[in-house]
C-alpha cells in the first residue's frame, strides 16, 4: 500500500513540473519571432541602367567583321536575314533592356564571319592546289563547312555549337594554307640562298653594292615574315631576293666575262705583235743604220770608273742628263702607241715602218 501511495505522489509531482515549465513567466514572455527567410531581392532593372549603346557597338563591330570577311557574298540569304534583325533592333531601340537580343545578333554576325573566312580560305587553297600538303586536315575542313551549310539551310539556331563548327572550319582550312606556304617558302628561301651564293662568287657586293643591298634586304624581310607566322609574305620576299640575286650574278658575270675577253684579246695581240716582229726581222732585216735607232751592241754612255759604287734609286737614274733627251723617233713612237691601243695591226705597222725606211734610203 505504501509503495502504491509513493508511486502516485511521484507521478503527480512530475505532472505538476511539466505544467509549470510549459507556461512562460508573464514578465519575460515574448511573442514568438517569425522565421527569417533570405531571398534575393528581384529588382526590375531600369532602362537607364542598361548600356544599350555599348551593346550596339559590339553588334556593329561584329557586323563590320562579317562584311569584311565577305558574308554577304558567301552566305547572302542568311546575311540578309540577320541584316533584317539588325534593322528592326535599331528601329525599336527605345531604351528597354535588350541585352539578350544584342548578344544573339552579335553571335550571328560572328558565325557568318567565320563561315565566310572558311569559304574564302578554301577557295584560295583550291585555286593554288595546296590541299595536297595536308589532305587529312583539308578533308576535316570540308566536313565542318558542309555541316554549317546544312544548319543554315535548316534555319537552325545560331547557338554555340554552330559557332564552334564555323570557327573550326576556318581553322582547318587556314592550317592547310599555313602548312603549304611554309613548305613553299622554305624551298624558295633555299633557291634565294643559292642565288646569293652565286652573286657572292663574283664579288657582286663590291661591284654592285646598292643592288646587292636591295636583294639582301629582301632576303632579311623574308626571314622576318616567316618568324612572324606569315609564310606567304615570306615567300614573296624570298622570291624577289632570288630574282634580284640571279639578275645581279648574271650582269656581273657578263661584265667580268667581257673584261676577261678583252684582256685575252689584248694578250693575243701582244703575242701576235711579237711574232710578226720576229718574222719581220727574219724576212726583211734592217741592214742600213737608221737615224735615232742604235745598234744592239751600241754603247750609249761613256763608261766611267768609280773607286766606289754608289747605289742609287731607280728614280734618280731617270734624271740622268744624257738619257733625258734620248727617245724614239716620233714616227716609230706613234706606231708603237697605235699597236698597243689596237688601232693598227702589228704587221701593218711593221710594213709601214719598212716603207718609211725605203723612202729614207732613196
Amino acid at each position: 500500500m505504501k509503495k502504491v501511495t509513493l508511486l502516485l505522489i511521484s507521478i503527480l509531482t512530475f505532472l505538476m513540473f511539466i505544467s509549470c515549465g510549459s507556461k512562460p513567466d508573464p514578465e519575460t514572455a515574448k511573442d514568438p519571432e517569425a522565421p527569417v527567410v533570405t531571398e534575393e531581392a528581384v529588382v526590375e532593372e531600369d532602362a537607364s541602367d542598361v548600356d544599350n549603346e555599348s551593346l550596339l557597338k559590339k553588334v556593329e563591330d561584329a557586323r563590320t567583321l562579317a562584311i569584311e570577311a565577305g558574308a554577304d557574298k558567301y552566305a547572302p540569304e542568311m546575311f540578309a536575314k540577320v541584316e533584317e534583325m539588325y534593322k528592326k533592333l535599331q528601329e525599336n531601340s527605345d531604351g528597354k533592356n535588350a541585352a539578350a537580343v544584342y548578344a544573339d545578333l552579335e553571335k550571328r554576325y560572328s558565325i557568318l564571319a567565320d563561315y565566310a573566312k572558311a569559304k574564302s580560305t578554301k577557295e584560295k587553297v583550291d585555286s593554288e592546289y595546296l590541299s595536297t600538303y595536308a589532305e587529312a586536315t583539308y578533308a576535316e575542313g570540308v566536313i565542318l563547312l558542309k555541316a554549317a551549310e546544312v544548319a543554315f539551310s535548316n534555319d537552325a539556331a545560331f547557338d554555340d555549337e554552330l559557332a564552334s563548327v564555323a570557327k573550326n572550319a576556318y581553322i582547318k582550312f587556314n592550317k592547310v594554307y599555313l602548312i603549304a606556304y611554309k613548305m613553299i617558302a622554305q624551298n624558295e628561301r633555299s633557291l634565294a640562298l643559292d642565288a646569293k651564293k652565286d652573286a657572292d662568287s663574283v664579288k657582286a657586293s663590291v661591284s654592285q653594292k646598292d643592288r646587292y643591298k636591295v636583294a639582301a634586304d629582301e632576303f632579311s624581310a623574308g626571314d622576318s615574315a616567316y618568324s612572324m607566322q606569315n609564310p606567304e609574305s615570306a615567300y614573296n620576299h624570298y622570291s624577289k631576293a632570288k630574282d634580284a640575286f640571279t639578275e645581279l650574278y648574271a650582269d656581273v658575270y657578263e661584265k667580268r666575262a667581257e673584261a676577261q675577253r678583252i684582256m685575252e684579246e689584248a694578250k693575243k695581240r701582244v703575242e701576235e705583235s711579237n711574232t710578226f716582229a720576229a718574222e719581220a726581222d727574219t724576212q726583211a732585216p734592217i741592214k742600213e743604220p737608221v737615224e735615232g735607232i742604235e745598234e744592239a751592241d751600241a754603247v750609249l754612255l761613256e763608261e766611267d770608273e768609280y773607286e766606289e759604287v754608289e747605289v742609287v734609286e731607280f728614280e734618280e737614274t731617270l734624271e740622268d742628263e744624257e738619257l733625258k733627251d734620248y727617245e724614239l723617233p716620233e714616227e716609230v713612237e706613234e706606231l708603237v702607241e697605235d699597236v698597243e691601243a689596237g688601232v693598227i695591226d702589228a704587221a701593218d705597222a711593221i710594213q709601214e715602218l719598212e716603207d718609211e725606211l725605203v723612202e729614207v734610203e732613196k
Side-chain angles (χ1 to χ4, degrees):
M1 183 67 180
K2 289 181 179 179
K3 290 182 179 180
V4 174
T5 301
L6 291 172
L7 181 58
L8 289 173
I9 293 171
S10 298
I11 293 173
L12 289 172
T13 303
F14 178 76
L15 291 174
M16 288 176 66
F17 177 79
I18 294 176
S19 177
C20 292
S22 63
K23 294 180 180 179
D25 189 347
E27 295 181 353
T28 59
K30 295 182 180 179
D31 293 333
E33 295 181 0
V36 178
V37 179
T38 57
E39 294 183 359
E40 292 184 2
V42 179
V43 181
E44 197 168 319
E45 190 171 11
D46 188 80
S48 60
D49 296 333
V50 180
D51 189 3
N52 285 339
E53 186 176 348
S54 64
L55 295 175
L56 181 61
K57 179 65 167 56
K58 291 182 178 180
V59 173
E60 291 173 345
D61 290 344
R63 179 175 178 271
T64 299
L65 292 176
I67 294 173
E68 290 176 350
D72 54 338
K73 171 186 174 183
Y74 294 105
E77 294 182 4
M78 291 306 303
F79 183 77
K81 290 180 181 180
V82 177
E83 281 286 274
E84 187 177 349
M85 295 173 61
Y86 174 68
K87 291 178 181 178
K88 287 181 179 179
L89 182 64
Q90 287 181 311
E91 293 171 358
N92 300 326
S93 181
D94 53 2
K96 292 183 179 180
N97 182 8
V101 178
Y102 283 112
D104 177 66
L105 197 56
E106 180 186 354
K107 180 179 291 185
R108 287 173 184 267
Y109 278 125
S110 297
I111 290 173
L112 289 175
D114 285 334
Y115 172 78
K117 288 190 290 185
K119 287 284 289 184
S120 62
T121 306
K122 180 180 181 298
E123 283 185 356
K124 187 167 188 176
V125 168
D126 292 342
S127 66
E128 299 183 27
Y129 306 99
L130 304 178
S131 60
T132 55
Y133 288 91
E135 293 180 342
T137 304
Y138 177 83
E140 291 174 1
V142 172
I143 293 171
L144 290 168
L145 196 60
K146 186 64 178 177
E149 291 170 351
V150 170
F152 289 160
S153 63
N154 294 334
D155 200 18
F158 279 65
D159 53 14
D160 292 339
E161 183 177 352
L162 181 56
S164 177
V165 169
K167 188 176 186 65
N168 277 287
Y170 167 63
I171 289 174
K172 294 295 182 181
F173 288 121
N174 192 54
K175 184 177 180 181
V176 174
Y177 162 79
L178 289 175
I179 290 174
Y181 261 102
K182 279 185 175 181
M183 296 179 70
I184 294 172
Q186 288 174 1
N187 182 64
E188 195 70 4
R189 185 182 191 277
S190 178
L191 295 176
L193 189 59
D194 289 341
K196 179 179 180 297
K197 290 177 180 178
D198 288 340
D200 290 340
S201 69
V202 294
K203 310 297 182 184
S205 60
V206 177
S207 59
Q208 296 287 335
K209 185 177 180 180
D210 293 338
R211 291 176 62 190
Y212 185 91
K213 184 179 184 304
V214 171
D217 288 345
E218 284 289 350
F219 191 89
S220 298
D223 284 346
S224 178
Y226 192 90
S227 66
M228 297 297 290
Q229 299 298 313
N230 192 345
E232 184 177 6
S233 177
Y235 163 77
N236 291 331
H237 285 297
Y238 289 142
S239 182
K240 290 179 181 178
K242 179 193 70 177
D243 293 342
F245 280 128
T246 300
E247 292 176 4
L248 193 57
Y249 168 73
D251 290 348
V252 175
Y253 182 85
E254 183 178 352
K255 289 178 181 178
R256 286 169 64 92
E258 178 65 15
Q260 185 67 28
R261 184 185 66 79
I262 293 173
M263 291 174 62
E264 291 295 334
E265 288 183 356
K267 182 179 179 182
K268 183 178 179 181
R269 284 197 299 268
V270 171
E271 291 176 351
E272 290 176 350
S273 177
N274 292 336
T275 301
F276 285 133
E279 291 177 354
D281 287 340
T282 302
Q283 297 176 4
I286 300 175
K287 298 178 180 179
E288 298 296 329
V290 180
E291 184 179 355
I293 300 180
E294 306 294 342
E295 296 292 336
D297 56 351
V299 178
L300 300 180
L301 297 176
E302 294 293 333
E303 293 186 4
D304 294 326
E305 294 182 0
Y306 294 94
E307 294 181 0
E308 293 182 3
V309 179
E310 182 180 0
V311 179
V312 295
E313 296 295 334
F314 175 73
E315 288 78 0
E316 295 181 20
T317 63
L318 296 180
E319 298 299 326
D320 194 302
E321 291 297 329
E322 294 186 62
L323 285 175
K324 186 175 182 180
D325 297 327
Y326 177 78
E327 56 185 16
L328 291 173
E330 184 178 350
E331 296 83 2
V332 177
E333 191 171 85
E334 289 179 355
L335 283 174
V336 172
E337 289 177 354
D338 290 342
V339 170
E340 290 177 348
V343 176
I344 186 172
D345 190 85
D348 294 336
I350 293 172
Q351 184 61 50
E352 186 175 331
L353 182 60
E354 289 178 351
D355 293 340
E356 290 180 4
L357 292 176
V358 170
E359 291 295 326
V360 171
E361 290 178 355
K362 290 180 179 180

